[in-house]
Amino acid sequence: MTRARKSAAADKRGAKTAIPPKWATTLRALRHRNFQLFFSGQLISLTGTWMQSVAQAWLVYSMTKSALLLGSVGFASQIPVFLFAPFGGITADRVNRQRLVIATQTCSMILAGILAWLTLSGRIHVWHIFLLAGLLGVVNAFDIPGRQSFLIDMVGKEDLMNAIALNSSMFNGARVIGPAIAGILVARIGEGWCFAANSFSYIAVLIGLLLMKVRSVPRISNRSPIEDIIEGFRWVNRTKIIRSLLFLIGLVSLVGMPYTVLMPVFADKILHGGARGLGILMGATGVGALFGALTLAAKTGIKGLGRWVTITCATLGISLFLFSFSTSFWLSAALLLPCGYSMMLQMACSNTLIQTIVPDHLRGRVMSLYSMMFMGMAPFGAFFGGALANRIGAPMTVAVGGIACVLGAIWFGRALPELRIEARRLIVAQGLAGGEPVQELNAQPVEE
């Protein structure tokens, strides 16, 4: 072999060794110590949160046998997000985000402890659940914009997309573990211990938050909070790509998400799986969602995310439509895998695009609008889904929601070419796009 060929072969081997392994790319945000602390603490805490969510749904259903009240509790827990998220957003833009998240997580721990005490002592009534669910919703109205805005303080803009994806992976990893544990505990020792475990789980996240060393400087504004909130609304209203993404998220939350609220009805009356079956069904959704989040975590740039939003919204609708007609427990569980995958990938891609485009001084306010559409529209979906299920049945309600998701995907897909142009301009203005240099953005469309 000639020296030239040997040199070329050596260069090729060097190029190959310079490429980081796939797992390192997928987990790159974890190189930041602050995000390591956040990730580990939240994984434990969110497992408890999902345990409480499943146990609470089963407790309400076992006490009332009413799909309407089941939907109403979901409404009570999430309507405060719709009402108070703008105030949570302006708070996240004005105060130290680390302290804000510590405060909200502490409040959540106290509320879970009260629910556990009432249940274990036999004093629990439905109105207690409604009240505590509403108070938790108020806390979440400040917690969600605060946590979403806090991600960039932990990892910086270059690893923001990966942090969002890993955060979603953690959320859905807990979504797999939590319902499975809850299904076993509810069947054997009752709902109260699930609530108690959730309360104790917050200790892990609080320890992680207190150990962090984050520079989160409060932002001073000379305007009133209401004027700043209005500024956030106006920016979103004149930014078509953000407005369209939020509209699609709101649509899915309104008509697609009610299937999770109605899951106890499917588990009990249609699939005859009981509390254990409910845990398996919710866990199947979580497995799909976990793979959806990991799919995004493995991606290194934002190119193609708009197309992913369109496709996943459509596949969610198709999966929901098929699930609504299934009477086989394991077929239904299998159909929930693409449901979870599609919903999480759509939400995570939308979150990534929004956070890449939004200026940092508006981040909390824009993420509060994301919270309003993602969590805030869900209570309306839960309430109307429960009411509609009482009239036409849970399967037909879910089928109608699936059709609406497909129609939303068609609308967004047709608008995408125009939205791509505006997105490219805004991302270039931010200087970075998920780690891609600005000169690369000028060479090709970045948002598809």
Side-chain angles (χ1 to χ4, degrees):
M1 184 182 289
T2 64
R3 288 184 179 180
R5 287 182 179 178
K6 288 181 180 179
S7 177
D11 289 343
K12 285 183 179 180
R13 287 194 298 270
K16 286 181 180 179
T17 56
I19 298 173
K22 193 70 173 179
W23 65 266
T25 302
T26 303
L27 303 176
R28 61 189 180 277
L30 286 172
R31 63 186 178 179
H32 301 273
R33 177 180 177 272
N34 290 323
F35 190 70
Q36 292 172 11
L37 292 168
F38 177 81
F39 188 92
S40 56
Q42 282 283 310
L43 181 59
I44 297 171
S45 176
L46 286 170
T47 300
T49 299
W50 276 108
M51 289 172 60
Q52 174 165 316
S53 178
V54 173
Q56 181 175 283
W58 188 255
L59 178 62
V60 172
Y61 186 68
S62 63
M63 290 172 69
T64 65
K65 297 296 181 182
S66 170
L68 178 60
L69 284 177
L70 197 60
S72 298
V73 171
F75 184 87
S77 68
Q78 294 172 320
I79 188 61
V81 177
F82 186 83
L83 297 175
F84 297 107
F87 298 98
I90 190 60
T91 303
D93 278 340
R94 287 190 173 201
V95 306
N96 183 297
R97 292 167 181 166
Q98 182 181 11
R99 293 177 183 173
L100 174 62
V101 177
I102 290 172
T104 57
Q105 295 291 294
T106 302
C107 291
S108 298
M109 178 177 68
I110 293 170
L111 291 173
I114 294 172
L115 182 59
W117 173 73
L118 287 171
T119 306
L120 291 171
S121 64
R123 294 180 172 89
I124 193 70
H125 295 286
V126 173
W127 73 266
H128 290 142
I129 300 174
F130 272 88
L131 177 61
L132 291 170
L135 290 174
L136 183 60
V138 174
V139 173
N140 284 334
F142 290 82
D143 181 68
I144 297 170
R147 272 191 296 124
Q148 292 291 338
S149 303
F150 190 42
L151 286 175
I152 197 168
D153 294 335
M154 288 186 279
V155 303
K157 196 150 193 173
E158 289 190 8
D159 289 327
L160 178 60
M161 184 178 89
N162 186 249
I164 292 170
L166 290 179
N167 191 46
S168 298
S169 303
M170 168 183 58
F171 180 86
N172 290 289
R175 190 177 188 175
V176 176
I177 301 168
I181 297 174
I184 296 170
L185 290 182
V186 168
R188 293 189 177 181
I189 57 177
E191 298 87 353
W193 290 107
C194 291
F195 305 146
N198 181 40
S199 182
F200 285 114
S201 72
Y202 283 99
I203 296 173
V205 71
L206 288 172
I207 291 173
L209 287 166
L210 291 170
L211 289 175
M212 287 183 190
K213 295 179 181 179
V214 180
R215 186 183 178 187
S216 182
V217 182
R219 294 150 184 82
I220 300 172
S221 175
N222 296 322
R223 292 177 296 189
S224 70
I226 298 298
E227 288 175 323
D228 278 346
I229 289 172
I230 292 172
E231 180 192 14
F233 274 98
R234 285 176 176 167
W235 188 84
V236 168
N237 186 54
R238 66 173 180 261
T239 309
K240 193 172 181 180
I241 175 64
I242 300 290
R243 191 172 71 239
S244 299
L245 285 168
L246 292 178
F247 175 82
L248 194 62
I249 291 168
L251 175 69
V252 170
S253 296
L254 183 66
V255 300
M257 282 192 180
Y259 85 95
T260 60
V261 176
L262 296 173
M263 199 61 69
V265 180
F266 281 93
D268 183 42
K269 290 185 176 180
I270 298 170
L271 304 174
H272 311 294
R276 193 184 186 98
L278 176 61
I280 293 172
L281 292 173
M282 296 294 287
T285 303
V287 170
L290 175 61
F291 279 104
L294 290 175
T295 300
L296 182 62
K299 189 170 173 57
T300 56
I302 65 167
K303 184 180 178 182
L305 291 189
R307 190 187 302 118
W308 284 20
V309 169
T310 306
I311 294 171
T312 51
C313 186
T315 54
L316 170 63
I318 294 169
S319 301
L320 286 175
F321 186 81
L322 295 174
F323 169 79
S324 68
F325 290 102
S326 171
T327 56
S328 165
F329 180 86
W330 292 110
L331 176 60
S332 296
L335 288 170
L336 288 175
L337 292 170
C339 285
Y341 181 91
S342 301
M343 180 175 287
M344 181 45 57
L345 195 51
Q346 181 201 338
M347 297 301 174
C349 288
S350 300
N351 188 338
T352 300
L353 286 170
I354 292 169
Q355 292 229 46
T356 303
I357 292 170
V358 66
D360 192 56
H361 72 280
L362 289 169
R363 189 173 303 277
R365 281 164 282 177
V366 174
M367 293 316 297
S368 74
L369 295 179
Y370 171 85
S371 304
M372 288 175 67
M373 293 296 102
F374 183 28
M375 291 280 292
M377 291 301 292
F380 295 102
F383 183 77
F384 292 121
L388 192 61
N390 263 1
R391 295 182 64 87
I392 66 174
M396 191 57 65
T397 300
V398 172
V400 170
I403 293 170
C405 289
V406 173
L407 294 176
I410 293 171
W411 164 79
F412 186 82
R414 294 184 67 178
L416 191 56
E418 181 183 351
L419 299 177
R420 188 181 298 134
I421 297 170
E422 182 188 40
R424 179 175 179 270
R425 175 178 57 81
L426 290 168
I427 293 169
V428 171
Q430 292 303 309
L432 283 172
E436 295 180 17
V438 174
Q439 58 266 29
E440 289 184 18
L441 304 181
N442 290 327
Q444 59 185 8
V446 297
E447 201 293 283
E448 296 185 21

